[in-house]
Amino acid sequence: MAILNLKKIGVSGVNSALHKIVENSEKDFEIRNPQGQHSIACGINAPLNVEIKGHVGFYCGGMNKYAKILIHGHAGVGVGENMMSGYIHVKGDTSESAGATAHGGFLVIEGNASSRCGISMKGVDIVVGGSVGHMSGFMAQSGNLVICGDAKDALGDSIYEANIFVRGEVSELGADCIEKEVRPEHSAKISKLLKSSGINANPTDFRRYGSARQLYNFDVDNFESY
Amino acid sequence: MCGIVGLYLKKPELQIQLGKLFKPMLFEMRSRGPDSAGVALYRDQVKPGQTKFSLAHIDPNFLWKKLGNDLAASLQCDVSIKVFGTHCILITNAQEDLIKKYLDAIKIEPYVASNEIIYKKISIVGSGKSIEIFKETGSPKKVYEQFNLTQSSGTHIIGHTRMATESAVTTAGSHPFATGEDLCLVHNGSLSNHNIIRRNLEREGIIFQTENDTEVAGAYLTWKLRSGYTLREALEDAIRDLDGFYTFCIGTKSGFAVVRDPIACKHAVLAETDKWVAMATEFRAIAKLPGAENAEIWEPEPSTIYIWGEE
């Protein structure tokens, strides 16, 4: 285990160390004193184990490929944004736009996520132990967003083909987002994701929301508008 | 961009460290707003019948002491003056309106900056019982040094680092904006209907010093409070009437308030321990405070009013 003290070496120092990975080099890292700084552990391109001891700022773990990143604290805006693969686990809460535009991988938030969680997600799986803020799943294209608590206004607004599963209350659905039947394959997916996340919830308690497919399909009645 | 920060101390024994504790908070927000910086500091409440003014003039050699003597002679009142760079804190027992009229009417010697002659009036950047406002173009470091803020004690403080969008980079356009007795406001975001609200408020007799959108938000609160609304009621109406993106931090005589617009896309974070409450645009500004790691930390909800110390 290599220890990276961010207070001493700064964000560039930490990220350089995580990017300079060659065969047989150290795979386990602990980042100390993150001090809420931005872009910590961004752009990792190797199967590393990274533990961050404290609260992080914006874009932590952004563009992640292969790495497992564990954050012992809260995360700021855009945690795991544009993640390609790998696993990011936040022990605390996250600010807005968690997992934004992420193409793959797995994001687990034990606490609450603020607004726009999973905005424009493109294949990532996200499990939130608590509740999510307004406009979560906005323009979500593919992947699964599992919310164990409640969802605020405009959930899944302009959604494409992602699945949103909510256990608690939904204050309001966004444009073109509707409740859909939970089929056996969806229950199986929820069970699998909950099990992998380590968050304890009953998979049969969840309802599914997805696209009514009215917004993003061409309607011949609108021909004159083009 | 812009960065806003606030710190409210719960324990009186920490008050002598206020300037020192707040320094890294404001400095950390420099990258969000390098154009100008300002703080509203609450300290040394004046005696009943007295008013404290924060005054500013562009000339760093402005004769504040002379102004104080002239003012005392002219209005037959007590005046004390403390000079901090381009600002001065003036305490007097004269009526607030008379002071404002006097300052507005006096002839100021032209100030020659490089080869440009500037006739600038003295601007009243704040007034009340305990508020002191210091703001200037440049970095937080420059502002902190010029006004000797590291040594300052007090109960609470709010600050702003500005990246100018809606109006010019000037001292007058810097935040905080004083909005009534002991009240001031800092803003991250931009308002889209400030011109129409400014025109409406001008009809109500409110005078504006700048074209700045934030001054309109401040003036709106002044107007509401003057009409007898409580701070909470005024902010509830502000959420309805002000259109745009904003996170506001409002300093009051005994605490501060935080409010975000219904979309809440301008960042904000709050943290609280048994010793302090802190607000910042980004957590990294709070991270430097003692005990921040174990503080209760949360993001303020949209259209929700948070108030400490008041009510």
Side-chain angles (χ1 to χ4, degrees):
Chain A
M1 162 94 68
I3 298 196
L4 304 171
N5 187 349
L6 193 140
K7 206 173 182 175
K8 272 194 182 153
I9 61 176
V11 175
S12 307
V14 165
N15 287 347
S16 303
L18 300 175
H19 295 162
K20 274 184 215 146
I21 302 296
V22 289
E23 216 177 327
N24 299 326
S25 64
E26 181 65 67
K27 296 281 188 288
D28 299 328
F29 291 89
E30 184 177 299
I31 300 173
R32 291 188 185 164
N33 299 309
Q35 302 170 104
Q37 292 297 310
H38 302 333
S39 310
I40 297 173
C42 272
I44 299 178
N45 192 20
L48 310 180
N49 288 307
V50 180
E51 277 199 47
I52 305 174
K53 297 286 174 110
H55 310 307
V56 295
F58 296 5
Y59 319 125
C60 181
M63 300 175 281
N64 183 43
K65 241 177 167 178
Y66 312 121
K68 186 180 169 189
I69 301 170
L70 178 58
I71 301 162
H72 292 275
H74 302 307
V77 174
V79 63
E81 57 101 32
N82 222 57
M83 171 157 60
M84 302 306 284
S85 65
Y87 175 59
I88 299 177
H89 189 121
V90 186
K91 301 292 271 182
D93 298 337
T94 67
S95 179
E96 60 206 84
S97 305
T101 73
H103 289 246
F106 190 28
L107 171 63
V108 175
I109 299 156
E110 285 192 25
N112 299 310
S114 159
S115 58
R116 294 171 272 270
C117 179
I119 181 172
S120 194
M121 53 193 269
K122 295 178 173 71
V124 66
D125 290 321
I126 304 174
V127 175
V128 182
S131 299
V132 298
H134 61 282
M135 298 204 83
S136 289
F138 178 63
M139 293 185 85
Q141 287 143 59
S142 84
N144 298 284
L145 173 57
V146 180
I147 301 155
C148 298
D150 305 330
K152 289 272 172 65
D153 291 356
L155 178 73
D157 193 290
S158 310
I159 188 171
Y160 293 86
E161 291 304 313
N163 278 311
I164 302 177
F165 303 102
V166 186
R167 184 167 66 162
E169 296 287 314
V170 175
S171 359
E172 179 203 46
L173 290 174
D176 209 35
C177 183
I178 53 169
E179 185 170 351
K180 292 185 161 184
E181 182 197 356
V182 182
R183 294 197 297 269
E185 70 265 30
H186 301 122
S187 298
K189 188 77 191 172
I190 300 170
S191 295
K192 190 175 162 242
L193 290 173
L194 284 171
K195 200 173 168 211
S196 313
S197 72
I199 290 170
N200 195 13
N202 185 355
T204 58
D205 290 348
F206 288 78
R207 282 170 298 158
R208 179 167 79 106
Y209 301 90
S211 179
R213 302 184 177 122
Q214 298 296 305
L215 263 183
Y216 74 81
N217 282 313
F218 178 70
D219 186 335
V220 76
D221 290 345
N222 297 329
F223 182 73
E224 290 300 313
S225 313
Y226 292 91
Chain B
M1 292 289 269
C2 297
I4 60 181
V5 270
L7 178 63
Y8 169 75
L9 300 176
K10 290 178 172 178
K11 304 268 178 189
E13 62 268 25
L14 281 176
Q15 287 177 9
I16 50 162
Q17 294 181 51
L18 184 71
K20 203 173 136 210
L21 289 169
F22 192 66
K23 187 176 175 176
M25 293 183 74
L26 193 71
F27 281 28
E28 190 69 31
M29 287 296 99
R30 183 191 174 278
S31 54
R32 292 193 66 92
D35 292 335
S36 64
V39 301
L41 174 63
Y42 293 82
R43 63 177 172 187
D44 308 333
Q45 187 169 329
V46 296
K47 294 189 189 104
Q50 289 184 325
T51 309
K52 191 198 277 191
F53 289 90
S54 306
L55 306 176
H57 189 267
I58 191 165
D59 183 356
N61 300 314
F62 186 77
L63 299 172
W64 291 109
K65 297 268 182 217
K66 182 177 178 300
L67 173 85
N69 292 338
D70 291 353
L71 186 66
S74 171
L75 297 180
Q76 300 286 304
C77 61
D78 298 333
V79 173
S80 82
I81 292 270
K82 254 189 204 167
V83 181
F84 300 86
T86 54
H87 285 42
C88 115
I89 301 299
L90 183 150
I91 297 169
T92 176
N93 58 356
Q95 271 185 8
E96 201 171 332
D97 288 356
L98 293 177
I99 298 284
K100 282 181 179 166
K101 264 188 205 155
Y102 181 88
L103 292 174
D104 208 36
I106 52 169
K107 281 205 169 69
I108 302 284
E109 291 295 311
Y111 166 56
V112 185
S114 55
N115 43 18
E116 187 188 3
I117 298 173
I118 302 171
Y119 295 86
K120 279 275 184 192
K121 287 193 165 168
I122 296 164
S123 55
I124 301 172
V125 291
S127 67
K129 296 288 179 200
S130 59
I131 194 171
E132 294 181 19
I133 291 183
F134 302 101
K135 55 185 185 180
E136 193 59 274
T137 55
S139 69
K141 187 165 181 279
K142 180 184 155 195
V143 170
Y144 238 78
E145 278 167 7
Q146 183 180 347
F147 302 119
N148 195 24
L149 293 171
T150 311
Q151 307 304 324
S152 48
S153 60
T155 50
H156 55 296
I157 185 166
I158 67 173
H160 186 269
T161 60
R162 178 166 187 242
M163 185 173 281
T165 52
E166 296 284 306
S167 63
V169 179
T170 58
T171 302
S174 312
H175 302 216
F177 282 98
T179 73
E181 190 180 295
D182 281 314
L183 206 82
C184 75
L185 179 141
V186 292
H187 171 203
N188 177 20
S190 65
L191 301 177
S192 48
N193 64 343
H194 60 102
N195 284 326
I196 189 163
I197 292 181
R198 187 185 293 109
R199 283 196 295 275
N200 292 343
L201 290 173
E202 276 169 348
R203 276 198 289 276
E204 298 286 339
I206 303 233
I207 295 159
F208 289 86
Q209 295 187 12
T210 70
E211 291 294 307
N212 188 285
D213 57 335
T214 307
E215 191 185 9
V216 174
Y220 179 92
L221 292 182
T222 305
W223 171 60
K224 283 283 176 184
L225 294 167
R226 195 194 278 175
S227 315
Y229 286 65
T230 64
L231 181 62
R232 184 173 290 278
E233 288 164 348
L235 288 171
E236 278 165 2
D237 284 3
I239 292 170
R240 192 194 62 213
D241 289 344
L242 299 177
D243 188 22
F245 297 118
Y246 56 83
T247 293
F248 292 135
C249 183
I250 299 114
T252 71
K253 193 173 162 187
S254 48
F256 71 78
V258 174
V259 63
R260 295 174 88 191
D261 71 75
I263 304 287
C265 70
K266 301 314 288 187
H267 313 306
V269 61
L270 286 162
E272 185 166 12
T273 68
D274 58 349
K275 296 194 171 72
W276 46 258
V277 181
M279 183 275 163
T281 307
E282 299 175 19
F283 175 74
R284 64 187 164 115
I286 295 172
K288 304 260 188 338
L289 285 172
E293 273 302 302
N294 300 315
E296 188 194 346
I297 299 164
W298 74 102
E299 190 170 307
E301 297 273 335
S303 309
T304 305
I305 297 157
Y306 299 83
I307 300 182
W308 280 270
E310 199 74 8
E311 297 186 308

mmCIF file of all heavy atoms in Angstrom, chain B residues 175-211:
data_model
loop_
_atom_site.group_PDB
_atom_site.id
_atom_site.type_symbol
_atom_site.label_atom_id
_atom_site.label_comp_id
_atom_site.label_asym_id
_atom_site.label_seq_id
_atom_site.Cartn_x
_atom_site.Cartn_y
_atom_site.Cartn_z
ATOM 1 N N HIS B 175 -18.707 42.911 -4.253
ATOM 2 C CA HIS B 175 -19.627 42.532 -3.179
ATOM 3 C C HIS B 175 -18.840 42.627 -1.870
ATOM 4 O O HIS B 175 -17.625 42.624 -1.893
ATOM 5 C CB HIS B 175 -20.077 41.082 -3.360
ATOM 6 C CG HIS B 175 -20.751 40.814 -4.666
ATOM 7 N ND1 HIS B 175 -21.795 39.935 -4.785
ATOM 8 C CD2 HIS B 175 -20.532 41.293 -5.913
ATOM 9 C CE1 HIS B 175 -22.177 39.871 -6.059
ATOM 10 N NE2 HIS B 175 -21.419 40.679 -6.759
ATOM 11 N N PRO B 176 -19.447 42.630 -0.699
ATOM 12 C CA PRO B 176 -20.879 42.580 -0.417
ATOM 13 C C PRO B 176 -21.568 43.916 -0.712
ATOM 14 O O PRO B 176 -20.943 44.967 -0.659
ATOM 15 C CB PRO B 176 -20.928 42.300 1.089
ATOM 16 C CG PRO B 176 -19.553 41.887 1.487
ATOM 17 C CD PRO B 176 -18.640 42.544 0.530
ATOM 18 N N PHE B 177 -22.866 43.832 -0.993
ATOM 19 C CA PHE B 177 -23.686 45.011 -1.139
ATOM 20 C C PHE B 177 -24.467 45.209 0.148
ATOM 21 O O PHE B 177 -25.142 44.305 0.608
ATOM 22 C CB PHE B 177 -24.660 44.855 -2.302
ATOM 23 C CG PHE B 177 -23.992 45.070 -3.627
ATOM 24 C CD1 PHE B 177 -23.560 43.998 -4.383
ATOM 25 C CD2 PHE B 177 -23.770 46.351 -4.093
ATOM 26 C CE1 PHE B 177 -22.917 44.204 -5.595
ATOM 27 C CE2 PHE B 177 -23.132 46.562 -5.310
ATOM 28 C CZ PHE B 177 -22.702 45.491 -6.066
ATOM 29 N N ALA B 178 -24.343 46.420 0.708
ATOM 30 C CA ALA B 178 -25.105 46.735 1.915
ATOM 31 C C ALA B 178 -26.548 46.928 1.502
ATOM 32 O O ALA B 178 -26.829 47.554 0.489
ATOM 33 C CB ALA B 178 -24.573 48.006 2.537
ATOM 34 N N THR B 179 -27.446 46.395 2.276
ATOM 35 C CA THR B 179 -28.845 46.435 1.853
ATOM 36 C C THR B 179 -29.760 46.932 2.955
ATOM 37 O O THR B 179 -30.933 46.645 2.955
ATOM 38 C CB THR B 179 -29.314 45.036 1.413
ATOM 39 O OG1 THR B 179 -29.452 44.256 2.591
ATOM 40 C CG2 THR B 179 -28.351 44.379 0.488
ATOM 41 N N GLY B 180 -29.223 47.660 3.900
ATOM 42 C CA GLY B 180 -30.059 48.137 4.996
ATOM 43 C C GLY B 180 -29.227 48.049 6.254
ATOM 44 O O GLY B 180 -28.084 47.596 6.208
ATOM 45 N N GLU B 181 -29.799 48.474 7.368
ATOM 46 C CA GLU B 181 -29.001 48.518 8.593
ATOM 47 C C GLU B 181 -28.458 47.138 8.961
ATOM 48 O O GLU B 181 -29.217 46.188 9.153
ATOM 49 C CB GLU B 181 -29.828 49.085 9.745
ATOM 50 C CG GLU B 181 -28.958 49.357 10.954
ATOM 51 C CD GLU B 181 -29.744 49.908 12.115
ATOM 52 O OE1 GLU B 181 -30.261 51.028 11.983
ATOM 53 O OE2 GLU B 181 -29.846 49.221 13.139
ATOM 54 N N ASP B 182 -27.157 47.031 9.009
ATOM 55 C CA ASP B 182 -26.443 45.801 9.397
ATOM 56 C C ASP B 182 -26.728 44.611 8.479
ATOM 57 O O ASP B 182 -26.434 43.473 8.821
ATOM 58 C CB ASP B 182 -26.754 45.406 10.847
ATOM 59 C CG ASP B 182 -25.965 46.244 11.824
ATOM 60 O OD1 ASP B 182 -24.756 46.406 11.594
ATOM 61 O OD2 ASP B 182 -26.551 46.739 12.792
ATOM 62 N N LEU B 183 -27.309 44.887 7.313
ATOM 63 C CA LEU B 183 -27.642 43.795 6.415
ATOM 64 C C LEU B 183 -26.799 43.916 5.149
ATOM 65 O O LEU B 183 -26.612 45.014 4.626
ATOM 66 C CB LEU B 183 -29.122 43.876 6.044
ATOM 67 C CG LEU B 183 -29.726 42.539 5.671
ATOM 68 C CD1 LEU B 183 -30.112 41.793 6.931
ATOM 69 C CD2 LEU B 183 -30.931 42.736 4.793
ATOM 70 N N CYS B 184 -26.290 42.803 4.662
ATOM 71 C CA CYS B 184 -25.570 42.848 3.401
ATOM 72 C C CYS B 184 -25.749 41.529 2.685
ATOM 73 O O CYS B 184 -26.194 40.535 3.268
ATOM 74 C CB CYS B 184 -24.103 43.148 3.624
ATOM 75 S SG CYS B 184 -23.228 41.762 4.265
ATOM 76 N N LEU B 185 -25.396 41.517 1.416
ATOM 77 C CA LEU B 185 -25.676 40.348 0.605
ATOM 78 C C LEU B 185 -24.516 40.064 -0.351
ATOM 79 O O LEU B 185 -23.965 40.985 -0.937
ATOM 80 C CB LEU B 185 -26.969 40.633 -0.177
ATOM 81 C CG LEU B 185 -27.487 39.573 -1.138
ATOM 82 C CD1 LEU B 185 -28.994 39.518 -1.034
ATOM 83 C CD2 LEU B 185 -27.136 39.907 -2.561
ATOM 84 N N VAL B 186 -24.142 38.792 -0.454
ATOM 85 C CA VAL B 186 -23.206 38.364 -1.496
ATOM 86 C C VAL B 186 -23.917 37.334 -2.363
ATOM 87 O O VAL B 186 -24.830 36.647 -1.917
ATOM 88 C CB VAL B 186 -21.879 37.789 -0.931
ATOM 89 C CG1 VAL B 186 -21.053 38.867 -0.261
ATOM 90 C CG2 VAL B 186 -22.117 36.624 0.006
ATOM 91 N N HIS B 187 -23.471 37.224 -3.612
ATOM 92 C CA HIS B 187 -24.249 36.507 -4.618
ATOM 93 C C HIS B 187 -23.323 35.733 -5.531
ATOM 94 O O HIS B 187 -22.305 36.233 -5.966
ATOM 95 C CB HIS B 187 -25.038 37.571 -5.402
ATOM 96 C CG HIS B 187 -25.755 37.094 -6.613
ATOM 97 N ND1 HIS B 187 -26.087 37.932 -7.637
ATOM 98 C CD2 HIS B 187 -26.211 35.873 -6.971
ATOM 99 C CE1 HIS B 187 -26.714 37.264 -8.575
ATOM 100 N NE2 HIS B 187 -26.798 36.003 -8.199
ATOM 101 N N ASN B 188 -23.707 34.501 -5.806
ATOM 102 C CA ASN B 188 -23.044 33.717 -6.845
ATOM 103 C C ASN B 188 -24.114 33.387 -7.879
ATOM 104 O O ASN B 188 -25.093 32.730 -7.556
ATOM 105 C CB ASN B 188 -22.444 32.448 -6.229
ATOM 106 C CG ASN B 188 -21.811 31.550 -7.260
ATOM 107 O OD1 ASN B 188 -21.475 31.989 -8.354
ATOM 108 N ND2 ASN B 188 -21.647 30.296 -6.905
ATOM 109 N N GLY B 189 -23.925 33.859 -9.112
ATOM 110 C CA GLY B 189 -24.919 33.605 -10.147
ATOM 111 C C GLY B 189 -25.201 34.864 -10.932
ATOM 112 O O GLY B 189 -24.393 35.788 -10.951
ATOM 113 N N SER B 190 -26.351 34.910 -11.576
ATOM 114 C CA SER B 190 -26.748 36.137 -12.263
ATOM 115 C C SER B 190 -28.264 36.202 -12.313
ATOM 116 O O SER B 190 -28.942 35.177 -12.424
ATOM 117 C CB SER B 190 -26.166 36.183 -13.680
ATOM 118 O OG SER B 190 -26.724 35.146 -14.453
ATOM 119 N N LEU B 191 -28.783 37.418 -12.212
ATOM 120 C CA LEU B 191 -30.237 37.608 -12.251
ATOM 121 C C LEU B 191 -30.636 38.057 -13.647
ATOM 122 O O LEU B 191 -29.930 38.837 -14.285
ATOM 123 C CB LEU B 191 -30.660 38.667 -11.222
ATOM 124 C CG LEU B 191 -30.299 38.346 -9.771
ATOM 125 C CD1 LEU B 191 -30.707 39.497 -8.865
ATOM 126 C CD2 LEU B 191 -30.974 37.065 -9.321
ATOM 127 N N SER B 192 -31.772 37.559 -14.128
ATOM 128 C CA SER B 192 -32.179 37.907 -15.481
ATOM 129 C C SER B 192 -33.216 39.022 -15.516
ATOM 130 O O SER B 192 -33.390 39.663 -16.536
ATOM 131 C CB SER B 192 -32.706 36.667 -16.198
ATOM 132 O OG SER B 192 -33.623 35.999 -15.378
ATOM 133 N N ASN B 193 -33.914 39.278 -14.415
ATOM 134 C CA ASN B 193 -34.945 40.330 -14.435
ATOM 135 C C ASN B 193 -34.557 41.512 -13.557
ATOM 136 O O ASN B 193 -35.422 42.198 -13.018
ATOM 137 C CB ASN B 193 -36.307 39.753 -14.021
ATOM 138 C CG ASN B 193 -36.324 39.258 -12.587
ATOM 139 O OD1 ASN B 193 -35.265 39.053 -11.998
ATOM 140 N ND2 ASN B 193 -37.498 39.085 -12.028
ATOM 141 N N HIS B 194 -33.233 41.765 -13.428
ATOM 142 C CA HIS B 194 -32.823 42.828 -12.501
ATOM 143 C C HIS B 194 -33.195 44.218 -12.999
ATOM 144 O O HIS B 194 -33.467 45.113 -12.214
ATOM 145 C CB HIS B 194 -31.340 42.735 -12.154
ATOM 146 C CG HIS B 194 -30.384 42.846 -13.291
ATOM 147 N ND1 HIS B 194 -29.688 43.993 -13.553
ATOM 148 C CD2 HIS B 194 -29.991 41.947 -14.218
ATOM 149 C CE1 HIS B 194 -28.900 43.798 -14.597
ATOM 150 N NE2 HIS B 194 -29.065 42.565 -15.019
ATOM 151 N N ASN B 195 -33.258 44.404 -14.344
ATOM 152 C CA ASN B 195 -33.566 45.751 -14.844
ATOM 153 C C ASN B 195 -34.992 46.179 -14.502
ATOM 154 O O ASN B 195 -35.218 47.294 -14.045
ATOM 155 C CB ASN B 195 -33.324 45.827 -16.354
ATOM 156 C CG ASN B 195 -31.832 45.899 -16.653
ATOM 157 O OD1 ASN B 195 -31.078 46.498 -15.882
ATOM 158 N ND2 ASN B 195 -31.398 45.270 -17.730
ATOM 159 N N ILE B 196 -35.924 45.264 -14.675
ATOM 160 C CA ILE B 196 -37.317 45.622 -14.387
ATOM 161 C C ILE B 196 -37.530 45.809 -12.886
ATOM 162 O O ILE B 196 -38.233 46.728 -12.448
ATOM 163 C CB ILE B 196 -38.317 44.607 -15.015
ATOM 164 C CG1 ILE B 196 -39.743 45.140 -14.882
ATOM 165 C CG2 ILE B 196 -38.224 43.220 -14.422
ATOM 166 C CD1 ILE B 196 -40.728 44.463 -15.797
ATOM 167 N N ILE B 197 -36.864 44.983 -12.087
ATOM 168 C CA ILE B 197 -37.001 45.139 -10.627
ATOM 169 C C ILE B 197 -36.347 46.453 -10.174
ATOM 170 O O ILE B 197 -36.878 47.164 -9.328
ATOM 171 C CB ILE B 197 -36.432 43.921 -9.889
ATOM 172 C CG1 ILE B 197 -37.329 42.719 -10.171
ATOM 173 C CG2 ILE B 197 -36.337 44.163 -8.381
ATOM 174 C CD1 ILE B 197 -36.927 41.450 -9.498
ATOM 175 N N ARG B 198 -35.199 46.795 -10.808
ATOM 176 C CA ARG B 198 -34.546 48.070 -10.469
ATOM 177 C C ARG B 198 -35.488 49.239 -10.756
ATOM 178 O O ARG B 198 -35.660 50.128 -9.910
ATOM 179 C CB ARG B 198 -33.242 48.230 -11.249
ATOM 180 C CG ARG B 198 -32.441 49.463 -10.818
ATOM 181 C CD ARG B 198 -31.199 49.718 -11.650
ATOM 182 N NE ARG B 198 -30.190 48.693 -11.479
ATOM 183 C CZ ARG B 198 -29.854 47.796 -12.397
ATOM 184 N NH1 ARG B 198 -30.452 47.810 -13.575
ATOM 185 N NH2 ARG B 198 -28.928 46.907 -12.155
ATOM 186 N N ARG B 199 -36.128 49.215 -11.927
ATOM 187 C CA ARG B 199 -37.054 50.310 -12.266
ATOM 188 C C ARG B 199 -38.197 50.389 -11.262
ATOM 189 O O ARG B 199 -38.579 51.469 -10.820
ATOM 190 C CB ARG B 199 -37.606 50.107 -13.686
ATOM 191 C CG ARG B 199 -36.603 50.495 -14.770
ATOM 192 C CD ARG B 199 -37.284 50.653 -16.125
ATOM 193 N NE ARG B 199 -37.836 49.413 -16.645
ATOM 194 C CZ ARG B 199 -37.134 48.511 -17.340
ATOM 195 N NH1 ARG B 199 -35.856 48.727 -17.593
ATOM 196 N NH2 ARG B 199 -37.694 47.410 -17.779
ATOM 197 N N ASN B 200 -38.745 49.227 -10.888
ATOM 198 C CA ASN B 200 -39.843 49.227 -9.908
ATOM 199 C C ASN B 200 -39.390 49.762 -8.562
ATOM 200 O O ASN B 200 -40.107 50.524 -7.909
ATOM 201 C CB ASN B 200 -40.399 47.806 -9.727
ATOM 202 C CG ASN B 200 -41.113 47.321 -10.981
ATOM 203 O OD1 ASN B 200 -41.468 48.124 -11.840
ATOM 204 N ND2 ASN B 200 -41.305 46.014 -11.087
ATOM 205 N N LEU B 201 -38.184 49.373 -8.148
ATOM 206 C CA LEU B 201 -37.682 49.817 -6.839
ATOM 207 C C LEU B 201 -37.348 51.307 -6.865
ATOM 208 O O LEU B 201 -37.521 51.996 -5.858
ATOM 209 C CB LEU B 201 -36.458 48.997 -6.423
ATOM 210 C CG LEU B 201 -36.734 47.525 -6.045
ATOM 211 C CD1 LEU B 201 -35.436 46.777 -5.826
ATOM 212 C CD2 LEU B 201 -37.608 47.422 -4.801
ATOM 213 N N GLU B 202 -36.878 51.795 -8.003
ATOM 214 C CA GLU B 202 -36.583 53.234 -8.123
ATOM 215 C C GLU B 202 -37.853 54.051 -7.915
ATOM 216 O O GLU B 202 -37.824 55.119 -7.303
ATOM 217 C CB GLU B 202 -35.947 53.544 -9.475
ATOM 218 C CG GLU B 202 -34.446 53.296 -9.447
ATOM 219 C CD GLU B 202 -33.774 53.324 -10.821
ATOM 220 O OE1 GLU B 202 -34.499 53.308 -11.846
ATOM 221 O OE2 GLU B 202 -32.538 53.332 -10.858
ATOM 222 N N ARG B 203 -38.973 53.515 -8.403
ATOM 223 C CA ARG B 203 -40.255 54.189 -8.179
ATOM 224 C C ARG B 203 -40.622 54.208 -6.694
ATOM 225 O O ARG B 203 -41.367 55.054 -6.238
ATOM 226 C CB ARG B 203 -41.366 53.507 -8.990
ATOM 227 C CG ARG B 203 -41.432 53.996 -10.429
ATOM 228 C CD ARG B 203 -42.764 53.661 -11.062
ATOM 229 N NE ARG B 203 -42.899 52.228 -11.312
ATOM 230 C CZ ARG B 203 -42.419 51.610 -12.382
ATOM 231 N NH1 ARG B 203 -41.800 52.296 -13.312
ATOM 232 N NH2 ARG B 203 -42.557 50.311 -12.545
ATOM 233 N N GLU B 204 -40.095 53.224 -5.951
ATOM 234 C CA GLU B 204 -40.351 53.174 -4.499
ATOM 235 C C GLU B 204 -39.366 54.065 -3.739
ATOM 236 O O GLU B 204 -39.338 54.059 -2.511
ATOM 237 C CB GLU B 204 -40.210 51.729 -3.981
ATOM 238 C CG GLU B 204 -41.197 50.751 -4.581
ATOM 239 C CD GLU B 204 -42.607 50.918 -4.048
ATOM 240 O OE1 GLU B 204 -42.774 51.486 -2.958
ATOM 241 O OE2 GLU B 204 -43.547 50.473 -4.735
ATOM 242 N N GLY B 205 -38.495 54.752 -4.481
ATOM 243 C CA GLY B 205 -37.569 55.685 -3.841
ATOM 244 C C GLY B 205 -36.207 55.107 -3.502
ATOM 245 O O GLY B 205 -35.406 55.746 -2.817
ATOM 246 N N ILE B 206 -35.905 53.903 -3.960
ATOM 247 C CA ILE B 206 -34.603 53.299 -3.671
ATOM 248 C C ILE B 206 -33.570 53.828 -4.663
ATOM 249 O O ILE B 206 -33.840 53.895 -5.869
ATOM 250 C CB ILE B 206 -34.702 51.758 -3.743
ATOM 251 C CG1 ILE B 206 -35.782 51.309 -2.771
ATOM 252 C CG2 ILE B 206 -33.338 51.102 -3.543
ATOM 253 C CD1 ILE B 206 -35.466 50.286 -1.778
ATOM 254 N N ILE B 207 -32.415 54.236 -4.137
ATOM 255 C CA ILE B 207 -31.373 54.799 -5.005
ATOM 256 C C ILE B 207 -30.289 53.743 -5.244
ATOM 257 O O ILE B 207 -29.832 53.090 -4.305
ATOM 258 C CB ILE B 207 -30.775 56.071 -4.359
ATOM 259 C CG1 ILE B 207 -31.856 57.149 -4.278
ATOM 260 C CG2 ILE B 207 -29.568 56.581 -5.162
ATOM 261 C CD1 ILE B 207 -31.582 58.223 -3.263
ATOM 262 N N PHE B 208 -29.891 53.589 -6.500
ATOM 263 C CA PHE B 208 -28.864 52.588 -6.854
ATOM 264 C C PHE B 208 -27.540 53.265 -7.162
ATOM 265 O O PHE B 208 -27.506 54.347 -7.730
ATOM 266 C CB PHE B 208 -29.333 51.772 -8.073
ATOM 267 C CG PHE B 208 -30.455 50.839 -7.740
ATOM 268 C CD1 PHE B 208 -31.773 51.268 -7.773
ATOM 269 C CD2 PHE B 208 -30.185 49.530 -7.353
ATOM 270 C CE1 PHE B 208 -32.804 50.416 -7.445
ATOM 271 C CE2 PHE B 208 -31.219 48.678 -7.018
ATOM 272 C CZ PHE B 208 -32.530 49.115 -7.064
ATOM 273 N N GLN B 209 -26.462 52.589 -6.789
ATOM 274 C CA GLN B 209 -25.123 53.138 -7.056
ATOM 275 C C GLN B 209 -24.497 52.526 -8.299
ATOM 276 O O GLN B 209 -23.545 53.061 -8.848
ATOM 277 C CB GLN B 209 -24.210 52.883 -5.851
ATOM 278 C CG GLN B 209 -24.663 53.618 -4.606
ATOM 279 C CD GLN B 209 -23.665 53.501 -3.471
ATOM 280 O OE1 GLN B 209 -22.546 53.072 -3.668
ATOM 281 N NE2 GLN B 209 -24.075 53.890 -2.288
ATOM 282 N N THR B 210 -24.959 51.339 -8.708
ATOM 283 C CA THR B 210 -24.314 50.640 -9.825
ATOM 284 C C THR B 210 -25.374 50.044 -10.755
ATOM 285 O O THR B 210 -26.568 50.114 -10.492
ATOM 286 C CB THR B 210 -23.455 49.454 -9.316
ATOM 287 O OG1 THR B 210 -24.337 48.443 -8.845
ATOM 288 C CG2 THR B 210 -22.510 49.867 -8.219
ATOM 289 N N GLU B 211 -24.880 49.429 -11.838
ATOM 290 C CA GLU B 211 -25.737 48.697 -12.774
ATOM 291 C C GLU B 211 -25.790 47.215 -12.399
ATOM 292 O O GLU B 211 -26.275 46.383 -13.156
ATOM 293 C CB GLU B 211 -25.172 48.820 -14.193
ATOM 294 C CG GLU B 211 -25.276 50.215 -14.783
ATOM 295 C CD GLU B 211 -26.713 50.624 -15.012
ATOM 296 O OE1 GLU B 211 -27.441 49.867 -15.661
ATOM 297 O OE2 GLU B 211 -27.115 51.698 -14.501
#
